[in-house]
Amino acid sequence: MNNDELYISNLLDLSQTIAAAVFEGLTYPWEALPKIKEFILSVGETLSPDEYDNVGDGIWIAKTAVVAPTASITGPVIICPNAEVRHCAFIRGSAIVGEGSVVGNSTELKNSIIFNSAQVPHYNYIGDSILGFKAHLGAGAITSNLKSDRSIVTIPGEDGRINTELKKFGAIVGDHVEVGCNSVLNPGTVIGRGSTVYPLSMVRGIVPANSIYKKQGEIAEKL
């Protein structure tokens, strides 16, 4: 696996997130995960009160966002313009919900960046993860962010495994990725731009860009 496939520039369009600055100086997208909380708190204070309401401690919600009254939101959080947070969503801190994106019913979100127009619309768990522009997770698809033995998450690279130095790291889902219903993205999963994951998949490691993930060991190139 060539390491440059894991570079931020090859996975994510930084023009499609309010959080572009958090990636500055970094090589791999997961390096941004420990920086999300501090970034939200610093940027939130600079957001225009004409565009955002500061509705609670460290919680900034765009005036054009639609948030269900049953949603539970704990800061620090930024919910960007025209985003939709639906019935009984559970946002529990250090989360950025991008412009025009959807956090759906009974979806749980923590320490994650959701890029613009991404969707996690039904019964999803997104923890310690980054979802790229127009990424979509089908109903029940989740990111598993902690290994069963609580060890550091590593990722296969061209010179062996890359130590992320993170115990909690779910997935990096590139731009325009489609993840099928009831799939599990195991800790440290990276899915390249434009790829599709079949429903009921158990994904581990790296799915190259523009691929179709059918099952472990069976990945086809999109034609």
Side-chain angles (χ1 to χ4, degrees):
M1 175 57 61
N2 195 328
N3 284 9
D4 61 7
E5 294 183 52
L6 303 174
Y7 291 170
I8 294 166
S9 58
N10 288 328
L11 290 163
L12 303 166
D13 180 354
L14 297 186
S15 72
Q16 294 294 337
T17 178
I18 195 174
V22 80
F23 296 94
E24 289 181 0
L26 306 181
T27 301
Y28 302 115
W30 57 83
E31 295 173 327
L33 294 174
K35 303 176 182 292
I36 296 173
K37 180 178 180 179
E38 181 181 353
F39 175 81
I40 293 172
L41 291 172
S42 62
V43 169
E45 297 292 346
T46 70
L47 295 174
S48 169
D50 294 330
E51 187 175 9
Y52 285 84
D53 291 323
N54 184 194
V55 301
D57 188 18
I59 302 173
W60 291 271
I61 300 177
K63 296 179 186 294
T64 57
V66 177
V67 179
T70 53
S72 174
I73 302 174
T74 302
V77 166
I78 296 175
I79 298 175
C80 296
N82 301 309
E84 183 178 359
V85 180
R86 294 176 178 166
H87 177 63
C88 290
F90 181 27
I91 301 178
R92 57 185 183 95
S94 301
I96 296 171
V97 179
E99 183 172 349
S101 60
V102 175
V103 178
N105 58 301
S106 303
T107 290
E108 182 177 349
L109 183 66
K110 56 87 67 172
N111 197 53
S112 294
I113 300 173
I114 308 298
F115 275 51
N116 299 347
S117 301
Q119 296 187 340
V120 282
H122 312 285
Y123 309 108
N124 305 112
Y125 173 68
I126 309 299
D128 302 281
S129 297
I130 298 171
L131 272 60
F133 176 57
K134 289 191 174 180
H136 175 264
L137 268 62
I142 68 168
T143 63
S144 174
N145 63 332
L146 182 65
K147 294 171 67 175
S148 58
D149 63 0
R150 273 55 175 177
S151 62
I152 297 294
V153 177
T154 62
I155 295 174
E158 59 185 329
D159 298 317
R161 301 196 68 85
I162 301 171
N163 184 348
T164 69
E165 301 183 1
L166 299 170
K167 283 189 177 182
K168 288 193 174 183
F169 169 20
I172 306 297
V173 179
D175 301 331
H176 300 281
V177 165
E178 180 73 31
V179 177
C181 296
N182 290 323
S183 293
V184 176
L185 309 184
N186 282 280
T189 294
V190 180
I191 303 178
R193 271 196 180 110
S195 288
T196 298
V197 174
Y198 273 13
L200 299 175
S201 293
M202 191 279 290
V203 188
R204 187 182 305 277
I206 298 168
V207 178
N210 300 308
S211 297
I212 300 174
Y213 182 99
K214 300 180 179 181
K215 62 182 180 180
Q216 194 73 31
E218 186 176 351
I219 301 175
E221 184 178 355
K222 282 188 175 180
L223 300 178

